[in-house]
Amino acid sequence: MSDYYKHHVFFCLNRREDGGACCCDHGAEEMFEYAKKRAKTLGVHGKQKSRINRAGCFDRCSEGPVIVVYPEAVWYTYVDSEDIDEIIESHLINGQVVERLKI
Amino acid sequence: MSDYYKHHVFFCLNRREDGGACCCDHGAEEMFEYAKKRAKTLGVHGKQKSRINRAGCFDRCSEGPVIVVYPEAVWYTYVDSEDIDEIIESHLINGQVVERLKI
């Protein structure tokens, strides 16, 4: 079934060991945990709804921290939990892309 | 840019510690490394082409090992490197979904 998840959200949680820019320098792990918990609390996490997923490097390190939402293929950056809230409420719940956070 | 990757392939590489079924019981890590290397060798790995990506659990453990290809949202299982070759050559290069491996 192709619509197993309506929105599949991948957080880059890669940690570079070479000193280069990486999403985990920007609180990616903490924001991933926050997003997953928030989506569960709002009842939008699960089959045929949204899934917040761990992922490795997207090779867009200099633009990080980065998430991508499929199948729409919308790429976002974020600073804090308010940005995550807006992505969840606007995009995942209401289907409206958050233009200001797009990369 | 929404078509940053033409095909973004996510491998579940989650390792469950509770004894339940998990993709890593089925050689997922080895097949991920194989797929990435193979896509690079064939010159189809990179921006505006395909990206083979690490991911965490997709919550489809009983159907594992599982990969998902976005933005098409096609879910596959696989047994060995021949299956991976077929997904790369048929789907990623020629745009033809491999029906026999779909879940």
Side-chain angles (χ1 to χ4, degrees), chain A residues 6-78:
Chain A
K6 187 174 174 190
H7 303 289
H8 203 163
V9 183
F10 295 89
F11 275 69
C12 172
L13 298 176
N14 190 52
R15 187 170 295 281
R16 289 175 66 170
E17 306 297 343
D18 64 1
C22 82
C23 294
C24 279
D25 290 340
H26 302 278
E29 184 77 33
E30 182 186 350
M31 287 300 104
F32 163 75
E33 296 292 352
Y34 176 84
K36 194 162 186 173
K37 189 174 173 183
R38 182 79 181 140
K40 285 181 179 177
T41 299
L42 292 171
V44 297
H45 199 259
K47 194 172 167 179
Q48 290 182 299
K49 295 186 278 190
S50 293
R51 181 167 179 86
I52 311 293
N53 223 297
R54 287 181 175 276
C57 184
F58 299 147
D59 201 19
R60 298 190 71 166
C61 311
S62 65
E63 301 164 278
V66 176
I67 69 178
V68 59
V69 184
Y70 283 113
E72 308 91 306
V74 173
W75 293 80
Y76 290 119
T77 190
Y78 55 89

Side-chain angles (χ1 to χ4, degrees), chain A residues 1-5 8 10 51-60 63 68 70-75 103, chain B residues 1-5 8 10 51-60 63 68 70-75 103:
Chain A
M1 187 173 64
S2 62
D3 57 348
Y4 195 87
Y5 294 120
H8 203 163
F10 295 89
R51 181 167 179 86
I52 311 293
N53 223 297
R54 287 181 175 276
C57 184
F58 299 147
D59 201 19
R60 298 190 71 166
E63 301 164 278
V68 59
Y70 283 113
E72 308 91 306
V74 173
W75 293 80
I103 57 172
Chain B
M1 187 173 65
S2 62
D3 57 348
Y4 195 87
Y5 295 120
H8 203 164
F10 295 89
R51 181 168 179 85
I52 311 294
N53 223 298
R54 288 180 176 276
C57 184
F58 298 147
D59 200 20
R60 299 191 69 167
E63 301 165 278
V68 58
Y70 283 113
E72 308 91 306
V74 173
W75 293 79
I103 59 171

Side-chain angles (χ1 to χ4, degrees), chain B residues 9-69:
Chain B
V9 183
F10 295 89
F11 275 70
C12 172
L13 298 176
N14 190 52
R15 188 171 295 281
R16 289 175 65 169
E17 306 296 343
D18 64 0
C22 81
C23 294
C24 279
D25 290 341
H26 302 279
E29 184 77 34
E30 182 186 349
M31 287 299 105
F32 163 75
E33 296 292 351
Y34 176 84
K36 194 163 185 171
K37 189 174 173 183
R38 182 80 181 140
K40 285 181 178 177
T41 299
L42 293 170
V44 298
H45 199 260
K47 194 172 167 179
Q48 291 183 299
K49 295 185 278 190
S50 293
R51 181 168 179 85
I52 311 294
N53 223 298
R54 288 180 176 276
C57 184
F58 298 147
D59 200 20
R60 299 191 69 167
C61 310
S62 65
E63 301 165 278
V66 176
I67 70 177
V68 58
V69 184

